Every structure is written in structure tokens, then in C-alpha cells.
Amino acid sequence: MDKVGIGILGAGSIAHYHAPAVGKTANARLVAICDPDRKRAGQVAEQYGAEKIYTSLDEMLRDPAVEGVVVCTPNFMHREHTEVCAKAGRGVLCEKPISITLDEALSMQKAADEAGVPLRTGFNQRFLNQVKLAKFAIEQGVIGEIHAFRSVFSGKWNNYFDETNFRYLPEQSGGTTINDNLVHRYDMIRHLLDDDFESVVADLHHSVIPPVVDDNVHMIVRTRKGARGTFAADRFSSVIADSTDIYGTKGSIHLVTNAVSPFHAVPLAINTTVAPEELPKRLTGAVYPFAKARANPAWTGWMSFWPEFNDAYAEQVSEFADALRGRQATHVGATGIDGIRSQELIQAAYDSQIDSCWISLPLTQGTPYRMPSYS
């Protein structure tokens, strides 16, 4: 297969996820690492086998071997870097969150559309095997019509380090817990439910961690199809709390994407009132030992799954490479529009906190960007 040339912009911590992922794909190759710090770019390039290093984006974009760019820079740089890449005819896979404001995100999508290049948002968790299986179960009607969900993701603020600390500088990150911890969950719910958010009310608070940022977040949302749900996250919990639960008229799904615990013992569990013999073979074949459960008259409807671990970053890069060449991938990655929808929810939650009310979606372009003060 003719491999697509990928350049990575930014040699910080997240590049250590994307760079090795490129090497695991059959349809992409790591052409270049670009970072203003030549030494740092060289270290990442040497570690993961990149062919070249550059210290400026313009320089890298003059290289015809670089067909697409993975943007791994801090949030406040995403708009500029994406638009420069698009104008140079390069598609972009932009790390999440796509930007700081809704208007920035819309501008990024416009630039990609005008250039005729793909824009992807780095919601790699869509590609996890347990998420794929949950999506399949929902599409097959295994849990019926969905009316409720909840998602929790918490973890210690200093478990994850960047050389620049931008995550705790609101003017550079656009937020902390609401758009770093939870942003994957906004996309996961939209993706799994094939739905969009209609309104949100939020309580965003600084409780304890040294940086004065949102470290304690609770949100209630309504979707266009009528489901209700909650998102909750904090940055002071000592270990990762990770759980997404989806409730339907025929059953429920329990999903873990980051870390299992004694309370969340498997990556995926599904309960259903659908008769065992009517379940899709893709599900029953993944449960061990399902044959015994099916023969058991005390069958409870619970199925536990340990899907084979897969590198979601590698599958994300592979889908991006296919998009760059106009090939149809087997699994559709998160587009720029998906990034926009999540950014829109974040901005609406800020408005909700400031105005103490429900905020309706979608927001219109030009909606003022306001961030709450936690001092």
C-alpha cells in the first residue's frame, strides 16, 4: 500500500502517543517532527523513526512528502496552525479540544472546507474496541430506545505533566476539567447515541487544587432526541474514576475507556431483556462462556466483555490517512464538525455558570465567549 506521509507538529507529551501510532499503521509513515526546540524534535524523531525534523511549520509544509499534519500544540495554537496547514493544502488531525472558542472552531472548519482538505478532531476513544461494540449493540436495538445516560471521569491534577503547564492557564487552554477531562465524553455520547445536545445547565467550581481553575464540574444535558444525562469530573481525586452508563427501554450499557476498578470490573457490560437466541452473534460470540449462560434458566441478561486491546491512536491515524487519500474507512473518525459540537457545549456550559440558567443549543456564530472566574 502507498503510505501517506504524516508530519507531527509539536513534540510535547501528546506527540508520544501519536508518533508511535503512525508507525503501527499499514497506510501511513512518519515523515517529520516539527517543534521550535530542535533538540526536542530530534529526540522524538529518533525515538519513533521520523525521517526528518523541522523547527517551523512553514518549513515542514514546504516538504511535499508531508501530506497531512497531526497538530499536537497547546489549545490556543490550534486555530492558527490548522488554518496554515489547510491553506497549504494539508489535511489536519487536531488534538482535542479542537480550539478555545466556538468561533475559532468554525473558522478552522471553514478553512478546511475552502481548501478541500479533511479536518479531524482527536477523539481517539471512538476507536476503542469496547466503544465499537457498544455502538454496534445500540444500533442493533439491544438496549432499546435510550432515554438517559451519565458519564464520570476524574483524576489527580498532577498525574499528567506537560513541559509548559498550559492546561492550567485558562487563556491558553480555554478551561481545564470541563474541556480536558470531559471532552472525550461529550463526543462519545454524541457518537453512541447518534444525537446532538439541545441544552445544558452547569455548575463549574474551583474546590482545592493549586491552580485556580475549574476542578469540580457537574453538567446536566438534554439531547435533541429527548434523552437526559449528566457529566461529572474533578481534578482532585487520587485515582482515575471512569464510567459511562447508558440506559434504554430494553437494557443498559456500562462502558469504561480509561481505567477499570473494583467498582467497574470490565471494560464493557451490557444488560438486555432481548432473548439470548435473538442477540447478534457478534455479541454472543464475544462473551465467554455464553453457551452456558444461554442454557442457564437463571439467565439475567447480563453480558460482560473484555474486548481485545487495540491502539485507538493508531486506528485514528489510519482513518485520517484514508481520508487524506479519499479512501472510505471502515470506521468514521471524529470530524471538525464533531469537534465544533463539543466546543459549543463547553461554551454553553460557561454561559450557564455565569447566568445561572439553562442554555439552549446550537449557539450562533459570534456568540460572545465568556469564561467564569473562580477566584
Side-chain angles (χ1 to χ4, degrees), residues 148-160:
F149 60 87
R150 62 181 180 180
S151 189
V152 177
F153 183 52
S154 303
K156 194 72 171 178
W157 73 280
N158 56 2
N159 281 347
Y160 188 89

Side-chain angles (χ1 to χ4, degrees), residues 44-63:
V44 175
E46 181 178 4
Q47 185 172 355
Y48 301 112
E51 301 167 18
K52 308 167 189 176
I53 62 171
Y54 295 105
T55 56
S56 79
L57 178 56
D58 287 341
E59 184 184 13
M60 183 170 73
L61 292 175
R62 287 195 291 270
D63 185 343

Side-chain angles (χ1 to χ4, degrees), residues 96-169:
K96 58 81 182 171
I98 193 171
S99 62
I100 288 182
T101 74
L102 174 60
D103 279 359
E104 285 185 354
L106 291 169
S107 178
M108 293 162 68
Q109 184 64 56
K110 180 180 179 182
D113 289 343
E114 290 178 347
V117 297
L119 174 59
R120 294 290 189 265
T121 307
F123 292 135
N124 63 289
Q125 292 189 6
R126 284 188 176 207
F127 293 87
L128 290 168
N129 280 337
Q130 61 265 44
V131 176
K132 294 178 188 176
L133 199 57
K135 175 75 169 174
F136 172 77
I138 290 171
E139 290 175 339
Q140 295 297 307
V142 172
I143 67 167
E145 185 177 353
I146 295 170
H147 290 282
F149 60 87
R150 62 181 180 180
S151 189
V152 177
F153 183 52
S154 303
K156 194 72 171 178
W157 73 280
N158 56 2
N159 281 347
Y160 188 89
F161 287 99
D162 293 288
E163 291 187 22
T164 64
N165 202 39
F166 78 92
R167 295 172 192 273
Y168 298 97
L169 301 174

Side-chain angles (χ1 to χ4, degrees), residues 3 10 45 66 78 85 90 92 132 167 169 190 205 215 221 244 260 266 279 335 360:
K3 294 190 175 184
V66 176
H78 287 179
C85 289
R90 303 316 202 277
V92 171
K132 294 178 188 176
R167 295 172 192 273
L169 301 174
R190 289 186 63 254
H205 186 61
D215 67 354
V221 298
T244 297
V260 295
V266 294
L279 291 170
T335 64
S360 296

Side-chain angles (χ1 to χ4, degrees), residues 64-366:
V66 176
E67 300 175 69
V69 177
V70 181
V71 172
C72 296
T73 52
N75 304 349
F76 73 100
M77 298 179 176
H78 287 179
R79 175 185 181 178
E80 176 187 353
H81 290 157
T82 296
E83 292 182 355
V84 168
C85 289
K87 289 175 182 177
R90 303 316 202 277
V92 171
L93 167 57
C94 183
E95 250 303 325
K96 58 81 182 171
I98 193 171
S99 62
I100 288 182
T101 74
L102 174 60
D103 279 359
E104 285 185 354
L106 291 169
S107 178
M108 293 162 68
Q109 184 64 56
K110 180 180 179 182
D113 289 343
E114 290 178 347
V117 297
L119 174 59
R120 294 290 189 265
T121 307
F123 292 135
N124 63 289
Q125 292 189 6
R126 284 188 176 207
F127 293 87
L128 290 168
N129 280 337
Q130 61 265 44
V131 176
K132 294 178 188 176
L133 199 57
K135 175 75 169 174
F136 172 77
I138 290 171
E139 290 175 339
Q140 295 297 307
V142 172
I143 67 167
E145 185 177 353
I146 295 170
H147 290 282
F149 60 87
R150 62 181 180 180
S151 189
V152 177
F153 183 52
S154 303
K156 194 72 171 178
W157 73 280
N158 56 2
N159 281 347
Y160 188 89
F161 287 99
D162 293 288
E163 291 187 22
T164 64
N165 202 39
F166 78 92
R167 295 172 192 273
Y168 298 97
L169 301 174
E171 67 277 9
Q172 294 187 14
S173 66
T176 302
T177 302
I178 188 173
N179 72 341
D180 194 33
N181 288 46
L182 279 175
V183 70
H184 277 297
R185 304 311 174 85
Y186 310 145
D187 182 69
M188 187 188 302
I189 290 297
R190 289 186 63 254
H191 175 60
L192 290 176
L193 274 59
D194 190 25
D195 202 354
D196 261 315
F197 302 117
E198 183 179 70
S199 56
V200 59
V201 64
D203 180 33
L204 316 176
H205 186 61
H206 170 256
S207 292
V208 65
I209 70 174
V212 182
V213 294
D214 55 300
D215 67 354
N216 197 357
V217 172
H218 295 80
M219 301 162 59
I220 303 175
V221 298
R222 299 168 181 156
T223 74
R224 294 181 184 177
K225 292 180 180 178
R228 266 67 172 166
T230 62
F231 296 106
D234 71 72
R235 283 235 149 155
F236 48 79
S237 297
S238 59
V239 295
I240 292 177
D242 174 18
S243 175
T244 297
D245 299 301
I246 301 172
Y247 304 96
T249 53
K250 295 181 180 179
S252 61
I253 287 177
H254 167 75
L255 183 63
V256 173
T257 56
N258 291 78
V260 295
S261 74
F263 299 100
H264 316 122
V266 294
L268 176 65
I270 299 176
N271 178 272
T272 180
T273 57
V274 175
E277 61 273 12
E278 296 177 7
L279 291 170
K281 291 183 178 179
R282 181 176 170 184
L283 293 181
T284 59
V287 177
Y288 178 82
F290 184 79
K292 292 183 179 179
R294 184 170 53 185
N296 186 346
W299 158 255
T300 64
W302 277 109
M303 298 177 286
S304 296
F305 302 86
W306 282 95
E308 181 182 1
F309 175 78
N310 64 310
D311 189 327
Y313 283 94
E315 292 197 20
Q316 178 178 248
V317 169
S318 180
E319 191 278 336
F320 176 51
D322 280 341
L324 289 168
R325 291 289 176 84
R327 295 189 288 249
Q328 181 64 45
T330 57
H331 185 76
V332 178
T335 64
I337 298 298
D338 293 315
I340 288 169
R341 294 284 82 84
S342 291
Q343 190 61 47
E344 179 180 59
L345 181 65
I346 293 165
Q347 190 163 327
Y350 286 151
D351 288 344
S352 173
Q353 173 69 23
I354 294 168
D355 296 337
S356 299
C357 65
W358 282 88
I359 300 295
S360 296
L361 298 168
L363 300 180
T364 59
Q365 186 170 4

